[in-house]
Amino acid sequence: MPALRVALMGHRQFLLQEAQSDQVIRLNSLEREVASEWDSYQQSRYSRLSRWLPPLITDALTASQQHSVDTDDGLHAQRLLASVYQLTTGFLTKVGETDLASLSATKGLSAAHASGNELMIGSLYRSVAHALLAIGEYEQAVALTRVVSDRLQSGLGAATPEYLSMYGTLQLVGVVAAARQDNRTDATTFLAEAEESAQRLGHDANYLWTAFGPTNVAIHRVSAAMEFGDVQVAIDLGPCIDTTGLPTERQVRHAIETARAFARWNRAESALDTLLDAEFQAPEQVRYHRLSRILVQEMLRCPRPPSRAIELAARIGVHRTDPLDRP
């Protein structure tokens, strides 16, 4: 995290600015690098992201300063910078670095506005809402989702697949924020909006790296049920959702939620089986995700924890005596 923190603060970029003055960042190459790291994020390759995001942020910042914002290349550079910040925000919230995620989301929104691209602006508002959600500001996340949704309504009539995906994914952030606020009215409204967008899209897709579609909406229906304490609903829905067509990150996130539902329903072996399958698929995501760590801690505190749970705890660095940060 130290290198990523420095990159976000911008110090390194300014220190190297003079040395890089004759090194023009090629936007096509930068775009390929950004796409590659989005792939890493969706494949839950956290170690790679932690290595490559700091220089990627620096390159994107440099590119944004090498091109005037009133040119096509300048707008392109701002879009890439916004995308890098959005990627960084998503990664930081996954590993629990919520303050840095808030900083990244704010910088990304500024770059998005500079780009003038409505899709990118909507995407970065989603990142801001996600960052608010990560620090427990559920009411503000709900309010922001509502305001931005109203702003985006005018574009829904002739919406492209990208627009539907951006809009629908924003609604999904609102669903979780409202559920954690125990606000069933807004959660139901956001979920209905997301479902309508998914139906219009017609299939699972990955426009703008959203992994949006009917399956992702179903995943969030389970997450909302768990937040509301409707464990039976989560048990009925969760194991039946086929996530194999989605990126690894979405598959494993749903597996963690399903394992959590099994645990709440006193089906400890099913919970452990599900979590171990998720670890096999994406060990770094299971190791660092807050919910999976909480779940393993709870398993350790059973009177006679299974040996498999003890071994898993050792692998991900969880101890029985650690403070239990309940969701």
Side-chain angles (χ1 to χ4, degrees):
M1 289 300 110
L4 193 49
R5 183 176 291 107
V6 170
L8 282 172
M9 294 175 71
H11 295 168
R12 182 171 181 268
Q13 192 270 338
F14 288 117
L15 288 172
L16 297 178
Q17 188 172 26
E18 184 175 346
Q20 293 178 335
S21 60
D22 60 344
Q23 300 176 15
V24 176
I25 304 296
R26 298 186 181 278
L27 297 183
N28 289 340
S29 297
L30 180 60
E31 188 165 26
R32 287 193 294 270
E33 292 173 16
V34 173
S36 177
E37 296 317 311
W38 269 108
D39 280 336
S40 295
Y41 172 78
Q42 293 195 322
Q43 293 167 10
S44 300
R45 299 170 64 185
Y46 290 1
S47 295
R48 176 184 168 88
L49 279 169
S50 67
R51 289 194 304 271
W52 287 101
L53 277 177
L56 187 60
I57 292 170
T58 300
D59 284 350
L61 276 167
T62 301
S64 71
Q65 294 186 353
Q66 289 179 338
H67 300 280
S68 174
V69 76
D70 58 359
T71 65
D72 288 344
D73 283 346
L75 296 176
H76 187 191
Q78 292 294 336
R79 289 196 301 274
L80 290 175
L81 180 59
S83 184
V84 170
Y85 279 131
Q86 183 180 15
L87 169 60
T88 303
T89 302
F91 171 62
L92 289 169
T93 56
K94 294 294 182 188
V95 299
E97 295 285 347
T98 54
D99 289 342
L100 284 180
S102 297
L103 173 62
S104 179
T106 301
K107 287 177 173 286
L109 185 60
S110 177
H113 277 294
S115 78
N117 185 286
E118 198 68 19
L119 285 172
M120 193 57 66
I121 293 170
S123 293
L124 267 297
Y125 270 119
R126 172 169 63 90
S127 289
V128 173
H130 199 195
L132 289 169
L133 176 61
I135 62 174
E137 292 288 348
Y138 308 138
E139 184 176 355
Q140 289 200 40
V142 168
L144 180 64
T145 302
R146 193 184 299 118
V147 169
V148 177
S149 297
D150 289 345
R151 167 181 170 166
L152 296 171
Q153 282 286 330
S154 61
L156 286 175
T160 63
E162 290 83 1
Y163 199 95
L164 288 171
S165 299
M166 175 270 293
Y167 179 82
T169 311
L170 172 66
Q171 306 308 305
L172 295 181
V173 178
V175 169
V176 177
R180 291 187 182 175
Q181 194 188 11
D182 200 27
N183 180 345
R184 288 184 181 269
T185 300
D186 279 340
T188 300
T189 299
F190 291 141
L191 195 57
E193 287 287 309
E195 193 155 24
E196 181 178 349
S197 295
Q199 289 174 352
R200 288 182 61 184
L201 187 62
H203 61 283
D204 291 328
N206 197 26
Y207 295 105
L208 302 176
W209 312 99
T210 57
F212 183 73
T215 303
N216 207 352
V217 174
I219 287 173
H220 281 77
R221 190 179 295 278
V222 174
S223 296
M226 285 300 297
E227 297 298 339
F228 283 124
D230 299 332
V231 181
Q232 181 64 67
V233 174
I235 288 289
D236 290 342
L237 296 177
C240 300
I241 298 174
D242 180 5
T243 62
T244 54
L246 299 185
T248 299
E249 183 276 327
R250 288 286 80 204
Q251 294 183 45
V252 172
R253 179 63 182 85
H254 177 62
I256 293 171
E257 198 70 77
T258 302
R260 186 178 164 210
F262 281 137
R264 295 292 182 276
W265 211 242
N266 293 320
R267 293 173 57 179
E269 288 300 321
S270 295
L272 190 51
D273 287 342
T274 303
L275 200 55
L276 288 172
D277 287 344
E279 186 203 20
F280 179 79
Q281 189 173 11
E284 292 180 332
Q285 186 172 350
V286 171
R287 178 181 177 87
Y288 291 108
H289 200 286
R290 174 171 165 265
L291 289 182
S292 58
R293 295 177 68 84
I294 290 171
L295 185 53
V296 172
Q297 283 179 307
E298 291 175 346
M299 291 177 180
L300 289 182
R301 296 184 180 190
C302 293
R304 298 180 61 184
S307 60
R308 294 187 302 161
I310 296 172
E311 293 164 359
L312 174 59
R315 287 195 298 274
I316 69 175
V318 166
H319 305 283
R320 185 177 185 276
T321 55
D322 289 342
L324 189 61
D325 183 19
R326 290 189 177 276

